[in-house]
Structures are given as structure tokens and as C-alpha cells.
């Protein structure tokens, strides 16, 4: 199962040097990762772990980000999602570049927030 979205980086998402805050990028990754996990589980999910995140190249003001999340493992109640963030800057020749990559784990929950099995 997969989910994806596009997001434009604005000045309020960056530090004084114009590089995106890591928390901004991680927030996008968590959001889109949860969409992929919830689609696969067909239930609400909560984030339980961020196993790894690698910021490969800087993301700058004006970059268009494509966040792509894929479920790579399904456990009894948990789902592991690989999330990749690609950037492209209009007018630059290098095109679409992998900027950030990470792995997040979610757990399917019921309306009381208790873990429930994933079908």
C-alpha cells in the first residue's frame, strides 16, 4: 500500500539560511506514512517509532517536495512504512532528487486507542 503528497517549502518552514527545519520534514513524513499505514490496516493508526531518518541533501525555500510512503512490513498490530522525500526546484537541471529517507512504525488502534490486529 502506498500514499503520496506534494508540499511546497515556504520561508516559515526554514531556518535563517533557507534550509528546511528537520521537524517540518519529519512531520510530513509522519503524516504521509500514517496515510499509507491506515489505508493498509483499514483502521486508525498511531505512530510508535521512528527507526531511522537520513537527511541526504538540503531542502530549501521554494523546493517542491514529493513525499512517498510504502508499507514494507505488516505485523500482528503494527505496520512498518518506508518514507522517501524527493525535492525538485523549478528551473534547475538536476530535476527530482531523493532528499530524505526514513522508516516509521505505526500500530492499528480501536476507538479507545488500544492496539488491534491488522487483517
Amino acid at each position: 500500500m502506498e500514499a503520496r503528497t506534494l508540499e511546497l517549502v515556504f520561508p516559515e518552514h526554514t531556518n535563517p539560511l533557507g534550509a528546511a527545519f528537520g521537524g517540518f520534514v519529519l512531520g510530513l513524513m509522519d503524516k504521509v506514512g500514517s496515510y499509507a499505514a491506515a489505508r493498509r490496516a483499514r483502521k486508525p493508526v498511531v505512530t510508535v517509532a521512528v527507526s531511522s531518518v537520513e537527511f541526504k541533501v538540503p531542502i530549501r525555500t521554494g523546493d517542491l517536495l514529493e513525499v512517498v510512503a510504502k508499507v514494507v512490513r505488516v505485523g500482528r498490530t503494527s505496520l512498518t512504512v518506508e518514507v522517501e522525500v524527493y525535492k525538485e526546484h523549478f528551473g534547475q537541471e538536476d530535476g527530482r532528487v531523493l532528499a530524505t529517507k526514513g522508516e516509521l512504525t505505526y500500530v492499528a488502534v480501536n476507538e479507545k486507542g488500544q492496539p488491534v490486529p491488522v487483517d
Side-chain angles (χ1 to χ4, degrees), residues 1-4 28-49 68-83 103-109 116-119:
M1 190 59 60
E2 181 177 292
R4 62 181 61 220
L28 292 174
M29 294 172 72
D30 188 27
K31 182 169 60 171
V32 179
S34 72
Y35 296 163
R39 286 179 80 189
R40 170 57 181 85
R42 294 186 301 279
K43 298 176 172 115
V45 298
V46 295
T47 310
V48 295
V68 181
K70 297 176 188 168
V71 175
V72 293
R73 278 190 293 286
V74 178
R76 192 177 76 76
T77 62
S78 66
L79 303 100
T80 302
V81 179
E82 181 181 270
V83 183
E103 188 174 272
L104 294 87
T105 304
Y106 301 87
V107 168
V109 295
V116 293
V118 176
D119 299 327

Side-chain angles (χ1 to χ4, degrees), residues 5-61:
T5 193
L6 297 173
E7 184 80 26
L8 191 60
V9 180
F10 289 99
E12 62 265 23
H13 303 136
T14 65
N15 65 26
L17 299 175
F21 291 117
F24 166 70
V25 177
L26 191 55
L28 292 174
M29 294 172 72
D30 188 27
K31 182 169 60 171
V32 179
S34 72
Y35 296 163
R39 286 179 80 189
R40 170 57 181 85
R42 294 186 301 279
K43 298 176 172 115
V45 298
V46 295
T47 310
V48 295
V50 177
S51 303
S52 66
V53 175
E54 183 181 356
F55 298 95
K56 295 177 171 289
V57 296
I59 294 171
R60 304 266 182 214
T61 301

